[in-house]
Amino acid sequence: MSGFDRVIVVDWSASKAPSPKVPSADAIWIAVQAGGQTTCTYHRTRADAIGTLCAEFDAAILAGQRVLAGFDFPFGYPAGFASAVTGISDPLALWADLATRIKDADDNANNRFEVAGDLNRLFPGVGPFWGCPAAIADDVLPAKGSTRHGHGMIERRKIETLIASAQPCWKLYTTGSVGSQALLGIARLQGLRERYGATLSVAPFQAPDTPIVLAEVYPSLLAAEIAARQGVDEIKDRAQVRLTAQALASVPGKQLDVMLREGDTEEGWILGVDHEDTLRVSLERAPVPPLKNDCFALPPGVHWTPVDKALAELRQRLGPVVGSETVPVNMALNRVLAADVIAPRAHPPLPNTAVDGYGFAGGKAEGVHDMPVIAAQMAAGRTPDFEVPSGSAVRILTGAALPGGVDTVILQEDVQRTGDRLSFHGPIKAGANTRAAGEDVEAGACVVSAGRRLTPADLALLSAVGVGTISVRAPLRVGVLSTGDELVAPGSDAGPGQIYDANRPMLLGLIDRLGHVGVDLGHVNDDRAALLGRFDDAAARVDVIVTSGGASAGDEDHVSALLNASGHMALWRIAIKPGRPLALGMWQGVPVFGLPGNPVAAMVCTLVFAAPALAQMAGAGWSAPQGFDVPAGFEKRKKAGRREFLRARMRNGRVEVFQSEGSGRISGLSWAEGLVELPDEALHVRPGDPVRFIPWSGFGV
Ligand code: AMP
Ligand code: MG
């Protein structure tokens, strides 16, 4: 546990007017992480944000709690600035000085450019502050950094030399306007220092032993991890504060304490630099926010939802529900990548030869060529530690790095070697039979993106660029439950009115093929209490529950009845055949997919709705089925108003459909090799007309 009860992260803003009413980027976002929950709020003005922080601090002090509050702007300036302004090198004396200069009204109107100009006047030459709208630029505060000279200040703090992407604090305008954020931010934080006195300290200028500790943070330290976890429609700034707060809150208390004491006590420091791995691991430990209980609610009055609308709704409402873990690349087949992977090394790392042959410099014109061969030989794996003299050749073997003086290779089969001489016919192009360094992958390039379900080829690529371990999503555990009094287990004796449970093995098989971990939840009778017990048990063990049967609105439809009674369910009446209503609900924070009982409808609804939804929840992103337009080998008329899926297979270049559309015909499912998807409109398909065929593999199974 962290030594802090609350962790707050603030994305600051130097805006000169209130930010838009509708939550937006580049405004102030505050994340408060406490008791395993993260709350994110949007603030239109700095005054409003400070009000919220004071409320948080007051509540914490009252409850005897400790708070860490991180801000994404520099707390200090390059060494020498504080003493040039105040006469002493204490950065907090500079804070007090800046607070007397800055005027920052409740509506964000402020005098930061004037203050920067006044500060510049304390220095010889021009600068160090720069950047402002062209209309107010002058000799004192230039619009361009390049017009500054002779001010004597260092450009970057030490910490900013370690983080190339960090902007220097002298720059007041455009990209990040870090300088303006610091002037306005420090003045506001000085206000907090005055208000909270000895209960508040500022890291790393002061020992972090107080109930409230302020520190400088930089969410981009975890850029890839944050991008991988950003919600579907979440504003980036919100994701940054939310996830940075979660990461910091999960760092063990002792380690966080060490981190807060590190860094330069004059210039300030960014919390967590050089501890990025710790932060990453902490973020993996942080719980994934659960789906909202109302995530399946439907707008009232909607009767038959078109398939595309239903899919768009699901896509928008669902997000990843699994955390992540680090695994070696060779254990990662079929796992879902949790964060983009950047190539640490180029592939190939050095220029090398694609063939066995002889290497030399430059192309050769038409005609016969004759040259000496040096005694050395280059084979794969050897470091190219010698030079081949101009006009000479070297024996070189496939994959070997090109030694100095070699940029062209001739195939061994195309030369005549006699003793230490080589002869061959031109022409040969300069660079022939060689591969350039990085021609496949450049170092620093993103090789595999977050959300990818890793293939054998991906493992090859990751290995080739030198990646040993990666962050992957925890597997999605999908529980499968059959419901209905009529069901008995295959292989047991069945009474005359009973049928064998066919859906469970089918659904577990589909889930396995989709790359998730199927959990067999067995069978329950049409009995509300038994079903409730099974749901409770399942919610503790799985990430998603898939049921079949009992999902309509009839007397014996206990799945929908129970979910309804729990308060979080919607019956999605979707215009699809085969299919009955889908009961989508939440049970103790776990999403429940209530599929129809008919095996054909259950399978079609799984492929069409559950497969992309499960992919989304597994962190693999939405997966649209991949189909092909092929000539029909059948005739069929359909009415307008619903999407139809027919059991189908390809034979002799045409797609044929199963003789019966009866939704109880399991034999047709087994016969089929995919589905034909007919559009919502009325249609008369004649043999030879193009229709959309989606093979099972197009659904990912
Ligand atoms: P329901 O959705 O419960 O009304 O069931 C519709 C039809 O599907 C009924 O004929 C059920 O007997 C049948 N059914 C329900 N569950 C299964 C199952 N697990 N295996 C085979 N058929 C089932
Ligand atoms: Mg039933």
Side-chain angles (χ1 to χ4, degrees):
M1 266 311 282
S2 134
F4 293 94
D5 306 283
R6 292 175 198 222
V7 173
I8 299 177
V9 171
V10 183
D11 183 340
W12 195 242
S13 161
S15 174
K16 65 178 191 304
S19 300
K21 279 208 182 86
V22 180
S24 54
D26 300 325
I28 299 181
W29 285 92
I30 299 181
V32 179
Q33 168 83 25
Q37 295 283 323
T38 324
T39 320
C40 298
T41 50
Y42 169 78
H43 302 269
R44 299 181 61 203
T45 62
R46 286 179 287 279
D48 180 46
I50 291 292
T52 295
L53 290 174
C54 287
E56 285 292 335
F57 293 174
D58 292 347
I61 290 171
L62 212 59
Q65 297 181 337
R66 293 190 74 212
V67 192
L68 170 64
F71 299 82
D72 71 335
F73 55 80
F75 277 15
Y77 290 81
F81 181 72
S83 46
V85 176
T86 67
I88 52 171
S89 61
D90 176 5
L92 294 175
L94 178 65
W95 279 36
D97 183 282
L98 292 180
T100 62
R101 295 170 184 264
I102 290 283
K103 303 278 171 275
D104 186 12
D106 283 356
D107 64 355
N108 275 357
N110 64 80
N111 64 343
R112 68 194 192 276
F113 294 122
E114 273 163 60
V115 170
D118 291 345
L119 290 167
N120 272 359
R121 280 194 195 88
L122 303 175
F123 294 85
V126 177
F129 288 101
W130 67 277
C132 57
I136 62 164
D138 56 23
D139 299 349
V140 179
L141 184 64
K144 284 194 178 158
S146 54
T147 22
R148 296 172 301 159
H149 60 84
H151 55 73
M153 286 291 110
I154 307 165
E155 189 61 13
R156 285 175 166 267
R157 298 185 292 158
K158 277 181 216 89
I159 186 71
E160 287 149 5
T161 61
L162 300 179
I163 302 176
S165 61
Q167 301 275 331
C169 53
W170 305 127
K171 183 179 162 188
L172 301 174
Y173 203 49
T174 70
T175 11
S177 55
V178 169
S180 289
Q181 295 205 27
L183 287 177
L184 295 167
I186 286 172
R188 288 286 183 176
L189 297 194
Q190 174 63 21
L192 294 179
R193 290 192 65 220
E194 284 158 17
R195 178 178 168 138
Y196 291 97
T199 53
L200 181 149
S201 60
V202 181
F205 307 140
Q206 297 173 306
D209 299 322
T210 49
I212 305 168
V213 178
L214 311 186
E216 189 184 330
V217 297
Y218 188 62
S220 304
L221 286 184
L222 297 176
E225 290 72 15
I226 289 173
R229 289 169 176 77
Q230 190 173 338
V232 189
D233 287 319
E234 188 175 22
I235 290 169
K236 184 177 172 194
D237 309 46
R238 183 184 191 278
Q240 286 187 331
V241 292
R242 175 173 67 80
L243 292 159
T244 305
Q246 286 177 8
L248 288 172
S250 301
V251 175
K254 276 201 184 121
Q255 228 170 331
L256 194 55
D257 189 68
V258 169
M259 282 157 62
L260 282 165
R261 288 172 203 275
E262 283 176 359
D264 192 294
T265 50
E266 182 180 348
E267 296 186 335
W269 199 254
I270 291 171
L271 180 62
V273 167
D274 279 343
H275 299 279
E276 287 85 347
D277 283 343
T278 303
L279 293 177
R280 253 171 236 135
V281 171
S282 301
L283 191 54
E284 286 179 2
R285 252 200 310 265
V288 176
L291 295 172
K292 292 208 188 77
N293 271 336
D294 62 356
C295 74
F296 293 121
L298 275 179
V302 174
H303 283 302
W304 291 96
T305 308
V307 169
D308 289 340
K309 169 100 166 75
L311 290 172
E313 292 285 345
L314 284 179
R315 179 178 194 163
Q316 205 222 316
R317 293 160 188 226
L318 296 174
V321 297
V322 283
S324 52
E325 60 194 19
T326 300
V327 296
V329 166
N330 61 5
M331 304 285 281
L333 184 64
N334 290 335
R335 301 295 300 270
V336 175
L337 200 58
D340 289 357
V341 179
I342 305 300
R345 188 190 204 217
H347 182 257
L350 292 173
N352 66 54
T353 172
V355 298
D356 288 340
Y358 291 86
F360 42 80
K364 298 290 171 217
E366 200 141 337
V368 176
H369 300 271
D370 177 88
M371 58 174 69
V373 179
I374 66 167
Q377 163 164 312
M378 264 316 279
R382 182 169 169 191
T383 307
D385 51 3
F386 62 91
E387 280 279 325
V388 177
S390 165
S392 296
V394 65
R395 174 92 175 112
I396 190 163
L397 302 171
T398 306
L402 303 182
V406 172
D407 61 9
T408 304
V409 175
I410 186 163
L411 209 61
Q412 145 175 324
E413 290 81 351
D414 292 345
V415 304
Q416 181 78 43
R417 167 110 189 237
T418 321
D420 62 357
R421 292 207 74 84
L422 188 70
S423 58
F424 57 87
H425 281 277
I428 175 160
K429 272 205 273 185
N433 297 317
T434 65
R435 308 163 176 144
E439 74 172 23
D440 185 22
V441 181
E442 304 250 28
C446 173
V447 273
V448 190
S449 302
R452 169 92 167 176
R453 197 174 277 284
L454 295 168
T455 65
D458 294 333
L459 304 191
L461 177 57
L462 291 165
S463 302
V465 296
V467 175
T469 56
I470 47 174
S471 173
V472 295
R473 291 282 179 182
L476 185 75
R477 291 159 303 166
V478 185
V480 175
L481 179 66
S482 292
T483 71
D485 284 345
E486 72 279 30
L487 300 180
V488 290
S492 60
D493 289 337
Q498 293 185 304
I499 61 166
Y500 290 110
D501 180 358
N503 287 346
R504 200 149 33 107
M506 175 180 75
L507 294 172
L508 284 166
L510 288 171
I511 281 151
D512 183 62
R513 288 281 181 97
L514 289 168
H516 312 300
V517 173
V519 177
D520 190 346
L521 299 177
H523 156 248
V524 271
N525 284 330
D526 289 325
D527 171 322
R528 194 79 56 94
L531 193 56
L532 185 146
R534 202 66 66 92
F535 273 179
D536 279 351
D537 165 57
R541 295 203 288 147
V542 301
D543 303 306
V544 187
I545 300 171
V546 174
T547 66
S548 69
S552 299
D555 293 345
E556 289 302 317
D557 288 317
H558 295 275
V559 171
S560 48
L562 183 59
L563 287 172
N564 240 337
S566 83
H568 312 300
M569 192 205 73
L571 212 52
W572 287 41
R573 271 179 280 268
I574 305 170
I576 182 173
K577 182 187 171 190
R580 294 266 292 283
L582 277 184
L584 299 181
M586 297 294 287
W587 190 264
Q588 293 173 11
V590 174
V592 181
F593 265 72
L595 299 170
N598 270 313
V600 177
M603 177 150 169
V604 168
C605 288
T606 299
L607 295 177
V608 175
F609 300 107
L614 293 175
Q616 185 96 314
M617 289 189 271
W622 190 258
S623 62
Q626 188 63 57
F628 306 90
D629 287 342
V630 294
F634 61 94
E635 176 161 11
K636 153 136 186 114
R637 284 172 196 276
K638 78 175 274 295
K639 286 189 280 196
R642 68 181 178 195
R643 184 89 38 110
E644 292 193 17
F645 289 90
L646 311 175
R647 282 148 281 178
R649 63 185 195 186
M650 288 294 295
R651 287 292 180 274
N652 304 318
R654 294 195 166 211
V655 60
E656 54 188 42
V657 295
F658 191 58
Q659 48 169 7
S660 159
E661 291 183 19
S663 71
R665 298 277 203 117
I666 302 180
S667 63
L669 279 179
S670 171
W671 170 94
E673 292 165 6
L675 299 175
V676 157
E677 178 181 16
L678 298 177
D680 299 352
E681 303 81 60
L683 193 69
H684 182 185
V685 179
R686 296 178 186 80
D689 288 352
V691 289
R692 172 130 295 220
F693 174 63
I694 309 170
W696 297 143
S697 63
F699 289 106
V701 296

